[in-house]
Tab-separated table of all heavy atoms in Angstrom:
chain	number	residue	atom	x	y	z
A	246	MET	N	-22.837	6.447	16.068
A	246	MET	CA	-22.707	6.949	14.835
A	246	MET	C	-23.222	5.941	13.769
A	246	MET	O	-22.775	4.814	13.838
A	246	MET	CB	-21.170	7.330	14.445
A	246	MET	CG	-21.067	7.755	13.042
A	246	MET	SD	-19.238	8.083	12.889
A	246	MET	CE	-19.194	8.587	11.080
A	247	THR	N	-24.144	6.279	12.900
A	247	THR	CA	-24.487	5.390	11.904
A	247	THR	C	-24.013	5.701	10.539
A	247	THR	O	-23.963	6.922	10.090
A	247	THR	CB	-26.163	5.483	11.807
A	247	THR	OG1	-26.652	5.221	13.088
A	247	THR	CG2	-26.754	4.531	10.848
A	248	VAL	N	-23.422	4.678	9.832
A	248	VAL	CA	-22.894	4.950	8.589
A	248	VAL	C	-23.894	4.450	7.514
A	248	VAL	O	-24.447	3.384	7.479
A	248	VAL	CB	-21.559	4.139	8.403
A	248	VAL	CG1	-21.105	4.304	7.032
A	248	VAL	CG2	-20.565	4.663	9.492
A	249	HIS	N	-24.271	5.378	6.549
A	249	HIS	CA	-25.253	5.027	5.459
A	249	HIS	C	-24.420	4.986	4.268
A	249	HIS	O	-23.628	5.732	3.903
A	249	HIS	CB	-26.392	6.075	5.355
A	249	HIS	CG	-27.125	6.109	6.647
A	249	HIS	ND1	-28.080	5.092	6.939
A	249	HIS	CD2	-27.273	6.972	7.656
A	249	HIS	CE1	-28.656	5.404	7.969
A	249	HIS	NE2	-28.162	6.582	8.489
A	250	THR	N	-24.655	3.764	3.500
A	250	THR	CA	-23.867	3.733	2.222
A	250	THR	C	-24.807	3.230	1.212
A	250	THR	O	-25.737	2.457	1.577
A	250	THR	CB	-22.591	2.791	2.318
A	250	THR	OG1	-22.005	2.755	1.118
A	250	THR	CG2	-23.053	1.414	2.860
A	251	THR	N	-24.666	3.698	-0.027
A	251	THR	CA	-25.492	3.130	-1.090
A	251	THR	C	-24.890	2.075	-1.836
A	251	THR	O	-25.396	1.432	-2.697
A	251	THR	CB	-25.851	4.395	-2.034
A	251	THR	OG1	-24.709	4.886	-2.602
A	251	THR	CG2	-26.630	5.385	-1.308
A	252	GLU	N	-23.576	1.776	-1.610
A	252	GLU	CA	-22.714	0.872	-2.360
A	252	GLU	C	-22.895	-0.509	-1.594
A	252	GLU	O	-22.442	-0.599	-0.506
A	252	GLU	CB	-21.384	1.242	-2.516
A	252	GLU	CG	-20.539	0.360	-3.340
A	252	GLU	CD	-19.190	0.726	-3.515
A	252	GLU	OE1	-18.955	2.014	-3.702
A	252	GLU	OE2	-18.212	-0.148	-3.586
A	253	THR	N	-23.337	-1.515	-2.262
A	253	THR	CA	-23.343	-2.987	-1.710
A	253	THR	C	-22.095	-3.614	-2.125
A	253	THR	O	-21.677	-3.588	-3.169
A	253	THR	CB	-24.531	-3.711	-2.347
A	253	THR	OG1	-25.710	-2.978	-1.994
A	253	THR	CG2	-24.657	-5.066	-1.682
A	254	PRO	N	-21.368	-4.220	-1.093
A	254	PRO	CA	-20.103	-4.899	-1.466
A	254	PRO	C	-20.437	-6.084	-2.413
A	254	PRO	O	-21.473	-6.748	-2.421
A	254	PRO	CB	-19.699	-5.591	-0.137
A	254	PRO	CG	-20.385	-4.742	0.928
A	254	PRO	CD	-21.686	-4.235	0.288
A	255	GLU	N	-19.511	-6.219	-3.389
A	255	GLU	CA	-19.649	-7.211	-4.345
A	255	GLU	C	-18.677	-8.544	-4.093
A	255	GLU	O	-17.444	-8.159	-3.683
A	255	GLU	CB	-19.256	-6.795	-5.718
A	255	GLU	CG	-19.299	-7.743	-6.815
A	255	GLU	CD	-18.841	-7.139	-8.104
A	255	GLU	OE1	-18.408	-6.005	-8.206
A	255	GLU	OE2	-18.812	-7.902	-9.181
A	256	ILE	N	-19.167	-9.646	-4.015
A	256	ILE	CA	-18.215	-10.909	-3.749
A	256	ILE	C	-17.603	-11.127	-5.064
A	256	ILE	O	-18.240	-11.346	-6.136
A	256	ILE	CB	-19.065	-12.080	-3.290
A	256	ILE	CG1	-19.764	-11.783	-1.906
A	256	ILE	CG2	-18.269	-13.300	-3.240
A	256	ILE	CD1	-20.757	-12.777	-1.447
A	257	THR	N	-16.186	-11.089	-5.006
A	257	THR	CA	-15.381	-11.372	-6.205
A	257	THR	C	-14.581	-12.630	-5.984
A	257	THR	O	-14.336	-13.005	-4.880
A	257	THR	CB	-14.562	-10.136	-6.594
A	257	THR	OG1	-13.863	-9.794	-5.385
A	257	THR	CG2	-15.397	-9.024	-7.034
A	258	THR	N	-14.176	-13.340	-7.116
A	258	THR	CA	-13.452	-14.672	-7.007
A	258	THR	C	-12.313	-14.398	-7.926
A	258	THR	O	-12.392	-13.872	-9.078
A	258	THR	CB	-14.289	-15.766	-7.297
A	258	THR	OG1	-15.438	-15.771	-6.433
A	258	THR	CG2	-13.589	-17.000	-7.125
A	259	THR	N	-11.179	-15.024	-7.546
A	259	THR	CA	-9.950	-15.061	-8.375
A	259	THR	C	-9.133	-16.242	-8.011
A	259	THR	O	-9.457	-17.082	-7.031
A	259	THR	CB	-9.135	-13.784	-8.266
A	259	THR	OG1	-8.245	-13.670	-9.317
A	259	THR	CG2	-8.441	-13.703	-6.921
A	260	GLU	N	-7.948	-16.477	-8.639
A	260	GLU	CA	-7.059	-17.454	-8.364
A	260	GLU	C	-5.933	-16.878	-7.535
A	260	GLU	O	-5.424	-15.868	-7.879
A	260	GLU	CB	-6.470	-18.084	-9.608
A	260	GLU	CG	-5.572	-19.312	-9.440
A	260	GLU	CD	-5.126	-19.899	-10.719
A	260	GLU	OE1	-5.852	-20.409	-11.448
A	260	GLU	OE2	-3.875	-19.710	-11.017
A	261	CYS	N	-5.634	-17.601	-6.407
A	261	CYS	CA	-4.413	-17.208	-5.515
A	261	CYS	C	-3.211	-17.076	-6.375
A	261	CYS	O	-2.858	-18.073	-7.116
A	261	CYS	CB	-4.285	-18.132	-4.382
A	261	CYS	SG	-2.932	-17.801	-3.393
A	262	ARG	N	-2.542	-15.965	-6.251
A	262	ARG	CA	-1.207	-15.841	-6.975
A	262	ARG	C	-0.115	-16.594	-6.514
A	262	ARG	O	0.854	-16.763	-7.101
A	262	ARG	CB	-0.837	-14.320	-6.898
A	262	ARG	CG	-1.864	-13.406	-7.723
A	262	ARG	CD	-1.343	-12.016	-7.604
A	262	ARG	NE	-2.549	-11.161	-8.019
A	262	ARG	CZ	-2.566	-9.912	-7.648
A	262	ARG	NH1	-1.698	-9.399	-6.879
A	262	ARG	NH2	-3.671	-9.124	-8.023
A	263	ALA	N	-0.230	-17.122	-5.313
A	263	ALA	CA	0.881	-17.846	-4.703
A	263	ALA	C	0.790	-19.420	-4.793
A	263	ALA	O	1.634	-20.087	-5.129
A	263	ALA	CB	1.027	-17.547	-3.095
A	264	CYS	N	-0.519	-19.960	-4.650
A	264	CYS	CA	-0.768	-21.399	-4.654
A	264	CYS	C	-1.656	-21.927	-5.635
A	264	CYS	O	-1.815	-23.050	-5.925
A	264	CYS	CB	-1.134	-21.875	-3.273
A	264	CYS	SG	-2.857	-21.535	-2.708
A	265	GLY	N	-2.422	-21.010	-6.275
A	265	GLY	CA	-3.454	-21.380	-7.281
A	265	GLY	C	-4.805	-21.745	-6.852
A	265	GLY	O	-5.707	-22.049	-7.564
A	266	ALA	N	-5.060	-21.776	-5.484
A	266	ALA	CA	-6.416	-22.047	-4.964
A	266	ALA	C	-7.454	-21.005	-5.436
A	266	ALA	O	-7.002	-19.828	-5.593
A	266	ALA	CB	-6.384	-22.127	-3.462
A	267	GLN	N	-8.669	-21.439	-5.431
A	267	GLN	CA	-9.726	-20.359	-5.781
A	267	GLN	C	-10.068	-19.599	-4.425
A	267	GLN	O	-10.258	-20.224	-3.423
A	267	GLN	CB	-10.954	-20.979	-6.248
A	267	GLN	CG	-11.980	-20.091	-6.635
A	267	GLN	CD	-13.241	-20.658	-7.196
A	267	GLN	OE1	-13.149	-21.807	-7.770
A	267	GLN	NE2	-14.264	-20.031	-7.203
A	268	VAL	N	-9.942	-18.249	-4.494
A	268	VAL	CA	-10.297	-17.352	-3.353
A	268	VAL	C	-11.321	-16.335	-3.740
A	268	VAL	O	-11.453	-15.912	-4.809
A	268	VAL	CB	-8.961	-16.699	-2.740
A	268	VAL	CG1	-7.999	-17.670	-2.225
A	268	VAL	CG2	-8.329	-15.793	-3.827
A	269	SER	N	-12.200	-16.166	-2.682
A	269	SER	CA	-13.237	-15.126	-2.917
A	269	SER	C	-13.042	-14.001	-1.863
A	269	SER	O	-12.379	-14.257	-0.814
A	269	SER	CB	-14.525	-15.812	-2.624
A	269	SER	OG	-14.872	-16.742	-3.673
A	270	GLY	N	-13.509	-12.842	-2.282
A	270	GLY	CA	-13.329	-11.686	-1.277
A	270	GLY	C	-14.427	-10.602	-1.674
A	270	GLY	O	-15.270	-10.864	-2.396
A	271	LEU	N	-14.305	-9.537	-0.950
A	271	LEU	CA	-15.135	-8.412	-1.162
A	271	LEU	C	-14.526	-7.382	-2.020
A	271	LEU	O	-13.369	-6.913	-1.615
A	271	LEU	CB	-15.670	-7.814	0.120
A	271	LEU	CG	-16.582	-8.724	0.951
A	271	LEU	CD1	-16.832	-8.068	2.274
A	271	LEU	CD2	-17.740	-9.103	0.178
A	272	ASN	N	-15.116	-7.032	-3.024
A	272	ASN	CA	-14.583	-5.791	-3.922
A	272	ASN	C	-13.177	-5.922	-4.392
A	272	ASN	O	-12.423	-5.056	-4.348
A	272	ASN	CB	-14.868	-4.486	-3.215
A	272	ASN	CG	-16.242	-4.186	-3.029
A	272	ASN	OD1	-17.181	-4.687	-3.701
A	272	ASN	ND2	-16.501	-3.457	-1.911
A	273	GLY	N	-12.720	-7.234	-4.694
A	273	GLY	CA	-11.388	-7.314	-5.193
A	273	GLY	C	-10.258	-7.433	-4.165
A	273	GLY	O	-9.072	-7.341	-4.479
A	274	ARG	N	-10.665	-7.622	-2.854
A	274	ARG	CA	-9.668	-7.743	-1.930
A	274	ARG	C	-9.706	-9.236	-1.350
A	274	ARG	O	-10.754	-9.663	-0.972
A	274	ARG	CB	-9.946	-6.819	-0.698
A	274	ARG	CG	-9.627	-5.271	-1.169
A	274	ARG	CD	-9.929	-4.199	-0.120
A	274	ARG	NE	-9.558	-2.971	-0.521
A	274	ARG	CZ	-10.411	-2.129	-1.164
A	274	ARG	NH1	-11.636	-2.570	-1.417
A	274	ARG	NH2	-9.934	-0.989	-1.577
A	275	TYR	N	-8.546	-9.793	-1.387
A	275	TYR	CA	-8.599	-11.329	-1.189
A	275	TYR	C	-7.513	-11.706	-0.041
A	275	TYR	O	-6.555	-10.980	0.117
A	275	TYR	CB	-8.118	-12.053	-2.389
A	275	TYR	CG	-8.900	-11.736	-3.665
A	275	TYR	CD1	-8.516	-10.933	-4.624
A	275	TYR	CD2	-10.315	-12.159	-3.755
A	275	TYR	CE1	-9.382	-10.498	-5.687
A	275	TYR	CE2	-11.088	-11.899	-4.824
A	275	TYR	CZ	-10.580	-11.033	-5.773
A	275	TYR	OH	-11.432	-10.732	-6.916
A	276	ALA	N	-7.818	-12.803	0.482
A	276	ALA	CA	-6.957	-13.422	1.546
A	276	ALA	C	-7.116	-15.020	1.251
A	276	ALA	O	-8.173	-15.511	1.462
A	276	ALA	CB	-7.233	-13.048	2.962
A	277	CYS	N	-5.993	-15.688	0.996
A	277	CYS	CA	-5.965	-17.070	0.774
A	277	CYS	C	-6.072	-17.882	2.125
A	277	CYS	O	-5.086	-17.741	2.820
A	277	CYS	CB	-4.941	-17.612	-0.197
A	277	CYS	SG	-4.908	-19.310	-0.497
A	278	GLY	N	-6.881	-18.717	2.279
A	278	GLY	CA	-7.043	-19.472	3.496
A	278	GLY	C	-6.065	-20.725	3.464
A	278	GLY	O	-5.785	-21.370	4.424
A	279	VAL	N	-5.505	-20.997	2.242
A	279	VAL	CA	-4.645	-22.273	2.116
A	279	VAL	C	-3.292	-21.874	2.414
A	279	VAL	O	-2.589	-22.457	3.264
A	279	VAL	CB	-4.761	-22.769	0.657
A	279	VAL	CG1	-3.755	-23.862	0.382
A	279	VAL	CG2	-6.168	-23.240	0.367
A	280	CYS	N	-2.734	-20.815	1.790
A	280	CYS	CA	-1.320	-20.402	1.997
A	280	CYS	C	-1.032	-19.099	2.670
A	280	CYS	O	0.049	-18.791	3.123
A	280	CYS	CB	-0.604	-20.412	0.600
A	280	CYS	SG	-1.147	-18.995	-0.399
A	281	GLY	N	-2.074	-18.289	2.899
A	281	GLY	CA	-1.904	-17.006	3.590
A	281	GLY	C	-1.688	-15.841	2.841
A	281	GLY	O	-1.564	-14.670	3.301
A	282	TRP	N	-1.529	-16.091	1.452
A	282	TRP	CA	-1.429	-14.812	0.526
A	282	TRP	C	-2.591	-13.856	0.715
A	282	TRP	O	-3.717	-14.292	0.853
A	282	TRP	CB	-1.297	-15.312	-0.910
A	282	TRP	CG	-1.351	-14.237	-1.837
A	282	TRP	CD1	-0.363	-13.422	-2.311
A	282	TRP	CD2	-2.535	-13.750	-2.577
A	282	TRP	NE1	-0.765	-12.542	-3.144
A	282	TRP	CE2	-2.136	-12.775	-3.440
A	282	TRP	CE3	-3.859	-14.183	-2.613
A	282	TRP	CZ2	-2.955	-12.044	-4.256
A	282	TRP	CZ3	-4.754	-13.475	-3.477
A	282	TRP	CH2	-4.272	-12.429	-4.265
A	283	VAL	N	-2.230	-12.611	0.726
A	283	VAL	CA	-3.256	-11.491	0.536
A	283	VAL	C	-2.785	-10.509	-0.513
A	283	VAL	O	-1.656	-10.278	-0.702
A	283	VAL	CB	-3.403	-10.773	2.002
A	283	VAL	CG1	-3.966	-11.653	3.045
A	283	VAL	CG2	-2.194	-10.139	2.439
A	284	ASN	N	-3.750	-9.942	-1.153
A	284	ASN	CA	-3.345	-8.872	-2.097
A	284	ASN	C	-3.280	-7.554	-1.432
A	284	ASN	O	-3.902	-7.354	-0.412
A	284	ASN	CB	-4.325	-9.007	-3.365
A	284	ASN	CG	-5.734	-8.596	-3.075
A	284	ASN	OD1	-6.244	-8.649	-1.948
A	284	ASN	ND2	-6.419	-7.881	-4.036
A	285	ALA	N	-2.652	-6.590	-2.029
A	285	ALA	CA	-2.610	-5.268	-1.569
A	285	ALA	C	-4.007	-4.564	-1.435
A	285	ALA	O	-4.824	-4.833	-2.317
A	285	ALA	CB	-1.656	-4.441	-2.422
A	286	TRP	N	-4.221	-3.851	-0.462
A	286	TRP	CA	-5.417	-3.070	-0.278
A	286	TRP	C	-5.746	-2.219	-1.354
A	286	TRP	O	-6.904	-2.052	-1.745
A	286	TRP	CB	-5.417	-2.410	1.041
A	286	TRP	CG	-4.472	-1.230	1.016
A	286	TRP	CD1	-3.154	-1.172	1.384
A	286	TRP	CD2	-4.605	0.114	0.492
A	286	TRP	NE1	-2.580	-0.108	1.301
A	286	TRP	CE2	-3.506	0.813	0.760
A	286	TRP	CE3	-5.789	0.829	0.038
A	286	TRP	CZ2	-3.284	2.139	0.314
A	286	TRP	CZ3	-5.611	2.096	-0.401
A	286	TRP	CH2	-4.404	2.840	-0.200
A	287	SER	N	-4.792	-1.779	-2.031
A	287	SER	CA	-4.960	-0.718	-3.141
A	287	SER	C	-5.477	-1.495	-4.414
A	287	SER	O	-5.778	-0.724	-5.313
A	287	SER	CB	-3.664	-0.081	-3.439
A	287	SER	OG	-2.628	-0.997	-3.851
A	288	GLU	N	-5.425	-2.722	-4.475
A	288	GLU	CA	-5.963	-3.568	-5.617
A	288	GLU	C	-7.440	-3.606	-5.742
A	288	GLU	O	-7.942	-4.181	-6.660
A	288	GLU	CB	-5.135	-4.815	-5.783
A	288	GLU	CG	-3.705	-4.801	-6.014
A	288	GLU	CD	-3.015	-6.082	-5.948
A	288	GLU	OE1	-3.734	-7.170	-6.040
A	288	GLU	OE2	-1.753	-6.115	-6.058
A	289	GLY	N	-8.101	-3.297	-4.630
A	289	GLY	CA	-9.565	-3.466	-4.594
A	289	GLY	C	-10.191	-2.614	-5.602
A	289	GLY	O	-9.682	-1.747	-6.236
A	290	HIS	N	-11.511	-2.865	-5.941
A	290	HIS	CA	-12.313	-2.217	-6.814
A	290	HIS	C	-12.970	-0.930	-6.383
A	290	HIS	O	-13.662	-0.327	-7.256
A	290	HIS	CB	-13.434	-3.209	-7.357
A	290	HIS	CG	-12.928	-4.462	-7.915
A	290	HIS	ND1	-13.703	-5.599	-8.035
A	290	HIS	CD2	-11.644	-4.831	-8.233
A	290	HIS	CE1	-12.923	-6.585	-8.544
A	290	HIS	NE2	-11.717	-6.135	-8.720
A	291	SER	N	-12.927	-0.682	-5.046
A	291	SER	CA	-13.508	0.589	-4.482
A	291	SER	C	-12.661	1.112	-3.497
A	291	SER	O	-11.722	0.433	-2.881
A	291	SER	CB	-14.890	0.181	-4.076
A	291	SER	OG	-14.953	-0.694	-2.998
A	292	ALA	N	-12.905	2.315	-3.103
A	292	ALA	CA	-12.173	3.025	-2.037
A	292	ALA	C	-12.552	2.447	-0.767
A	292	ALA	O	-13.668	2.102	-0.555
A	292	ALA	CB	-12.382	4.529	-2.093
A	293	LEU	N	-11.617	2.385	0.228
A	293	LEU	CA	-11.914	1.953	1.597
A	293	LEU	C	-12.453	3.093	2.269
A	293	LEU	O	-12.198	4.181	2.103
A	293	LEU	CB	-10.727	1.364	2.228
A	293	LEU	CG	-10.076	0.075	1.604
A	293	LEU	CD1	-8.798	-0.183	2.242
A	293	LEU	CD2	-11.127	-1.089	1.908
A	294	PRO	N	-13.373	2.745	3.291
A	294	PRO	CA	-13.925	3.868	4.157
A	294	PRO	C	-12.835	4.387	5.040
A	294	PRO	O	-11.776	3.888	5.308
A	294	PRO	CB	-14.961	3.121	5.012
A	294	PRO	CG	-14.615	1.669	4.936
A	294	PRO	CD	-13.894	1.478	3.655
A	295	THR	N	-13.032	5.699	5.376
A	295	THR	CA	-12.095	6.315	6.363
A	295	THR	C	-12.377	5.822	7.743
A	295	THR	O	-13.378	5.242	8.069
A	295	THR	CB	-12.292	7.852	6.299
A	295	THR	OG1	-13.599	8.197	6.935
A	295	THR	CG2	-12.142	8.395	5.016
A	296	ALA	N	-11.320	5.968	8.643
A	296	ALA	CA	-11.460	5.555	9.983
A	296	ALA	C	-12.756	6.255	10.687
A	296	ALA	O	-13.428	5.574	11.479
A	296	ALA	CB	-10.278	5.964	10.854
A	297	ALA	N	-13.083	7.487	10.360
A	297	ALA	CA	-14.197	8.131	10.948
A	297	ALA	C	-15.500	7.458	10.601
A	297	ALA	O	-16.501	7.519	11.143
A	297	ALA	CB	-14.223	9.575	10.617
A	298	GLN	N	-15.467	6.759	9.377
A	298	GLN	CA	-16.722	6.131	8.872
A	298	GLN	C	-16.931	4.785	9.510
A	298	GLN	O	-18.095	4.190	9.396
A	298	GLN	CB	-16.649	6.050	7.274
A	298	GLN	CG	-16.681	7.258	6.609
A	298	GLN	CD	-16.475	7.190	5.152
A	298	GLN	OE1	-15.570	6.401	4.781
A	298	GLN	NE2	-17.232	7.911	4.328
A	299	ASP	N	-15.989	4.341	10.171
A	299	ASP	CA	-16.076	2.987	10.924
A	299	ASP	C	-17.028	3.125	12.110
A	299	ASP	O	-16.868	3.981	12.950
A	299	ASP	CB	-14.721	2.516	11.417
A	299	ASP	CG	-14.703	1.122	12.061
A	299	ASP	OD1	-15.691	0.779	12.521
A	299	ASP	OD2	-13.639	0.559	11.935
A	300	PRO	N	-18.082	2.289	12.254
A	300	PRO	CA	-19.026	2.452	13.366
A	300	PRO	C	-18.376	2.212	14.723
A	300	PRO	O	-18.888	2.763	15.721
A	300	PRO	CB	-20.028	1.366	13.195
A	300	PRO	CG	-19.764	0.751	11.816
A	300	PRO	CD	-18.446	1.287	11.316
A	301	ASP	N	-17.266	1.559	14.789
A	301	ASP	CA	-16.528	1.419	16.043
A	301	ASP	C	-15.436	2.451	16.260
A	301	ASP	O	-14.724	2.326	17.262
A	301	ASP	CB	-15.835	0.021	16.091
A	301	ASP	CG	-16.854	-1.041	15.911
A	301	ASP	OD1	-17.983	-0.947	16.574
A	301	ASP	OD2	-16.603	-2.180	15.326
A	302	TYR	N	-15.299	3.464	15.390
A	302	TYR	CA	-14.238	4.401	15.571
A	302	TYR	C	-14.502	5.218	16.942
A	302	TYR	O	-15.588	5.751	17.174
A	302	TYR	CB	-14.418	5.329	14.423
A	302	TYR	CG	-13.386	6.505	14.337
A	302	TYR	CD1	-11.952	6.300	14.480
A	302	TYR	CD2	-13.699	7.835	14.469
A	302	TYR	CE1	-11.073	7.272	14.430
A	302	TYR	CE2	-12.942	8.889	14.446
A	302	TYR	CZ	-11.442	8.552	14.459
A	302	TYR	OH	-10.560	9.601	14.511
A	303	PRO	N	-13.524	5.276	17.826
A	303	PRO	CA	-13.751	5.878	19.127
A	303	PRO	C	-13.699	7.448	19.080
A	303	PRO	O	-14.063	8.164	19.962
A	303	PRO	CB	-12.560	5.254	19.908
A	303	PRO	CG	-11.596	5.209	18.883
A	303	PRO	CD	-12.265	4.728	17.697
A	304	GLY	N	-13.234	8.014	17.972
A	304	GLY	CA	-13.236	9.437	17.844
A	304	GLY	C	-11.754	9.911	18.026
A	304	GLY	O	-10.915	9.206	18.154
A	305	PRO	N	-11.615	11.239	18.034
A	305	PRO	CA	-10.245	11.711	18.082
A	305	PRO	C	-9.551	11.345	19.445
A	305	PRO	O	-10.200	11.214	20.491
A	305	PRO	CB	-10.402	13.191	17.955
A	305	PRO	CG	-11.885	13.469	18.055
A	305	PRO	CD	-12.604	12.219	17.831
A	306	ALA	N	-8.384	11.195	19.450
A	306	ALA	CA	-7.606	10.899	20.617
A	306	ALA	C	-7.626	12.032	21.719
A	306	ALA	O	-7.667	13.352	21.229
A	306	ALA	CB	-6.131	10.591	20.376
A	307	THR	N	-8.005	11.809	22.921
A	307	THR	CA	-8.173	12.840	23.873
A	307	THR	C	-6.968	12.995	24.824
A	307	THR	O	-6.948	14.086	25.495
A	307	THR	CB	-9.412	12.572	24.760
A	307	THR	OG1	-9.250	11.344	25.378
A	307	THR	CG2	-10.735	12.525	23.835
A	308	GLY	N	-6.136	12.113	24.720
A	308	GLY	CA	-4.929	12.253	25.653
A	308	GLY	C	-3.597	11.973	24.940
A	308	GLY	O	-3.636	11.768	23.687
A	309	THR	N	-2.481	12.242	25.618
A	309	THR	CA	-1.223	12.152	24.961
A	309	THR	C	-0.640	10.685	25.148
A	309	THR	O	0.441	10.397	24.601
A	309	THR	CB	-0.235	13.055	25.614
A	309	THR	OG1	-0.167	12.774	26.986
A	309	THR	CG2	-0.755	14.472	25.343
A	310	GLY	N	-1.257	9.885	25.984
A	310	GLY	CA	-0.804	8.412	26.149
A	310	GLY	C	0.284	8.420	27.160
A	310	GLY	O	0.836	7.303	27.405
A	311	THR	N	0.481	9.487	27.882
A	311	THR	CA	1.529	9.453	28.958
A	311	THR	C	0.890	9.597	30.372
A	311	THR	O	1.668	10.014	31.318
A	311	THR	CB	2.508	10.793	28.751
A	311	THR	OG1	1.701	11.964	28.695
A	311	THR	CG2	3.178	10.580	27.467
A	312	ASP	N	-0.401	9.337	30.418
A	312	ASP	CA	-1.058	9.435	31.731
A	312	ASP	C	-0.577	8.371	32.769
A	312	ASP	O	-0.314	7.299	32.599
A	312	ASP	CB	-2.676	9.177	31.571
A	312	ASP	CG	-3.120	10.290	30.668
A	312	ASP	OD1	-2.587	11.485	30.684
A	312	ASP	OD2	-4.191	10.114	30.043
């Protein structure tokens, strides 16, 4: 499955809310390498892709997991 998108991710930068370090991320989603703080996924600047849009998505489950 090939995913085509017209939106290019934007590199954004902010100050870590926990320790004050400068952190960069994609589209307003951040993870601090100094203290481990991460912002909520919902704070990003764009919608996240669905699972089906992920190139590694295996597709719908075929079994019940009790095999």
Side-chain angles (χ1 to χ4, degrees):
M246 174 181 182
T247 303
V248 177
H249 297 283
T250 180
T251 58
E252 183 178 325
T253 302
E255 178 185 0
I256 297 174
T257 53
T258 304
T259 193
E260 186 176 289
C261 173
R262 295 181 197 157
C264 72
Q267 182 175 340
V268 293
S269 295
L271 293 177
N272 296 334
R274 292 182 176 88
Y275 306 103
C277 180
V279 176
C280 71
W282 168 83
V283 295
N284 68 328
W286 65 269
S287 59
E288 294 177 10
H290 302 161
S291 62
L293 291 172
T295 65
Q298 292 172 318
D299 185 330
D301 296 325
Y302 180 64
T307 58
T309 60
T311 59
D312 298 332

